[in-house]
Amino acid sequence: MEFLYEYGLFFAKTITFVVAIAIVLMLLVGAAVKPKAKKGEIEIEDISEHLRTIKNDFLLNTLNKKQLKEHNKKVKTDIKQADNAESKPRLYVVDFVGSMDAHEVESLREEITAIISIADPKQDTVLVRLESGGGVVHGYGLAASQLQRLKNAGIYFSVSIDKVAASGGYMMACVANHIIAAPFAIVGSIGVIAQIPNFNKILKKNDIDFEQVTAGEFKRTLTMFGENTDVAREKFKQEIAQTHDLFKTFVSQQRPSLDISSVATGEHWFATQAIEKGLVDEIKTSDDALLSQQNERQIYKVKYKVKKGISDKLALGISHSVNKITMTLISKFKSVNP
C-alpha cells in the first residue's frame, strides 16, 4: 500500500509538472510570435481521376485475362481520344458543412471567388454539397449571398443535400438553379427561433442586484439577468416576426413557384415529402449526381485550406506530447494497480 501511495503521489506530481511546462511553452510561443492574418490556398482534387481509379481497380480484380486485355485496349483508345478531343466542360464541386455561427463562409467566399475567376459560364457548372441545420441569420445570410455570386456571374449551379439543409441551410440551398436531395434528407424549417434564459428570480432570492444602463428605449429588449417587461417581450416578438418575413421574402424570390404560406411554418420534411411541396427538384444523392456526369464533364473539387502557422503547429505538437505522456503514465499506473 505504501508503494502504491508513493507511486500515486509521483504520478500526480508528474502530471502537474508536464501540464505546467506545456502552459509555459504555449505562453512563450504566443508572446514570441506576433499574430498574423492566417493565409490559405486553394486546393484542387481531380474527382474524375479518382472515379476512374476506383473503376479500374475494381475491374483489375474481377476480370479474367481475356477481358482484362480487352479492357486495357479500350482504356488506351479512350486516352488517345481524350487527348485529341477538345477539353470537356468542367464541374466544380464545393463542400459546405455549416456550424451554428456559419464561420465556414470564410472558406466558401474564397472557393466561390476562385471558381468565378476561371469558370466558363457557357459550359461549366458547380455542385455545392451542403449540410447544415442552420444558425445565426447574418452568418447564413452572407453564405447565401456568396452562392448568389455564382448566379450573378451567369454560372449554373446545383445544391445537393445528403443529410440536412434546414433553416439557414435551406436559405443557402434555395439560391441554387436546381436542388437535389437524398430520400431521407431533412429539408425546410423556414422559420426563426430565439430563446434566452432568465436568472432574475435567482438573483433576487440571493439579494444580488443587477444594473444595466442603456441609451435608447430598445437598445436591449429581453435580458438574462434583469427583470423582463411585457413591452420588451412584445418588441422582441416583433423583431423575430420581421426576421421571419425577410426569410420568407428571400425564399419566395429564389423559388417563386413555392406556396410560401404552406412551407414557411418552421416545419421540416424529409426530401420525399419536400419534393411534393416544391422545396427540392430531384431525389438523388450527391454520389449519383457525380457519377451521372463523369463521362460528360471533368470534375474537380475546390477547397480553400488555411495554412497553420508556427505557433499553431508547435501548440499542436505540445498538445500531442502531453497527451502521449499522460496516457503512458496512466497505463503504467493501471499496470501496478489493476
Side-chain angles (χ1 to χ4, degrees):
M1 290 296 295
E2 183 177 354
F3 169 76
L4 293 178
Y5 171 78
E6 291 178 355
Y7 188 85
L9 186 61
F10 167 76
F11 176 77
K13 289 180 178 179
T14 304
I15 290 294
T16 304
F17 176 77
V18 171
V19 172
I21 291 296
I23 293 173
V24 171
L25 287 173
M26 288 181 184
L27 291 174
L28 289 174
V29 170
V33 181
K34 294 182 179 180
K36 296 181 180 179
K38 291 186 176 180
K39 295 182 179 180
E41 59 185 6
I42 293 292
E43 293 184 348
I44 304 295
E45 178 186 343
D46 191 337
I47 294 181
S48 292
E49 180 61 30
H50 176 66
L51 294 174
R52 284 193 295 268
T53 300
I54 292 175
K55 179 180 178 180
N56 288 331
D57 287 347
F58 184 81
L59 290 174
L60 288 173
N61 288 282
T62 56
L63 299 179
N64 58 41
K65 289 184 178 181
K66 183 178 179 181
Q67 292 171 329
L68 185 59
K69 187 176 181 180
E70 292 176 355
H71 171 69
N72 289 334
K73 285 183 179 179
K74 186 178 183 302
V75 170
K76 290 179 181 179
T77 302
D78 291 343
I79 292 174
K80 287 181 180 179
Q81 290 176 349
D83 290 339
N84 295 329
E86 294 182 2
S87 60
K88 291 181 180 180
R90 297 173 178 178
L91 169 62
Y92 297 101
V93 180
V94 173
D95 289 334
F96 185 90
V97 181
S99 58
M100 184 63 70
D101 64 356
H103 66 272
E104 297 83 3
V105 72
E106 295 303 321
S107 295
L108 180 65
R109 72 199 314 170
E110 298 291 345
E111 292 158 359
I112 297 299
T113 297
I115 291 171
I116 291 175
S117 67
I118 195 172
D120 181 353
K122 295 180 181 179
Q123 62 175 3
D124 296 339
T125 61
V126 175
L127 174 66
V128 179
R129 296 188 291 197
L130 174 62
E131 182 181 336
S132 174
V136 295
V137 176
H138 55 279
Y140 279 91
L142 178 57
S145 297
Q146 292 299 325
L147 297 184
Q148 183 67 46
R149 293 173 60 204
L150 291 171
K151 264 190 176 179
N152 295 343
I155 301 172
Y156 183 94
F157 84 98
S158 302
V159 159
S160 174
I161 308 165
D162 284 334
K163 293 182 180 179
V164 57
S167 195
Y170 190 75
M171 181 187 290
M172 294 177 65
C174 73
V175 181
N177 298 100
H178 190 73
I179 302 175
I180 65 176
F184 289 95
I186 295 173
V187 181
S189 189
I190 304 173
V192 182
I193 183 173
Q195 50 193 357
I196 181 172
N198 184 267
F199 301 98
N200 185 253
K201 290 181 180 179
I202 296 176
L203 296 180
K204 282 184 175 180
K205 186 177 180 180
N206 292 277
D207 296 325
I208 300 173
D209 292 329
F210 173 74
E211 299 291 340
Q212 180 175 263
V213 180
T214 62
E217 183 180 0
F218 295 115
K219 177 62 179 177
R220 177 68 64 202
T221 51
L222 297 186
T223 172
M224 289 180 63
F225 302 106
E227 185 173 357
N228 290 318
T229 65
D230 290 338
V231 174
R233 291 189 187 92
E234 185 59 33
K235 177 62 177 174
F236 194 71
K237 289 179 182 178
Q238 290 176 12
E239 292 172 349
I240 295 297
Q242 290 170 359
T243 304
H244 190 209
D245 288 340
L246 289 173
F247 193 176
K248 291 190 293 184
T249 300
F250 181 80
V251 174
S252 295
Q253 291 172 343
Q254 301 297 332
R255 296 181 71 87
S257 61
L258 274 177
D259 179 5
I260 196 65
S261 62
S262 67
V263 296
T265 58
E267 298 172 84
H268 64 268
W269 298 272
F270 292 116
T272 48
Q273 301 167 316
I275 193 169
E276 297 174 358
K277 297 179 177 296
L279 291 166
V280 302
D281 301 305
E282 186 177 2
I283 302 298
K284 182 189 288 187
T285 65
S286 61
D287 306 288
D288 289 330
L290 294 179
L291 287 174
S292 66
Q293 299 195 57
Q294 65 174 328
N295 294 325
E296 288 75 29
R297 295 182 179 276
Q298 175 64 41
I299 307 174
Y300 294 109
K301 179 182 174 182
V302 180
K303 180 178 177 60
Y304 181 75
K305 188 174 182 180
V306 177
K307 296 179 180 178
K308 286 186 172 66
I310 295 175
S311 58
D312 295 326
K313 292 178 181 178
L314 185 55
L316 185 62
I318 292 171
S319 177
H320 286 165
S321 298
V322 171
N323 288 336
K324 188 176 181 180
I325 293 171
T326 302
M327 293 307 297
T328 301
L329 291 171
I330 289 174
S331 64
K332 288 183 178 179
F333 179 73
K334 285 184 176 180
S335 65
V336 174
N337 185 25

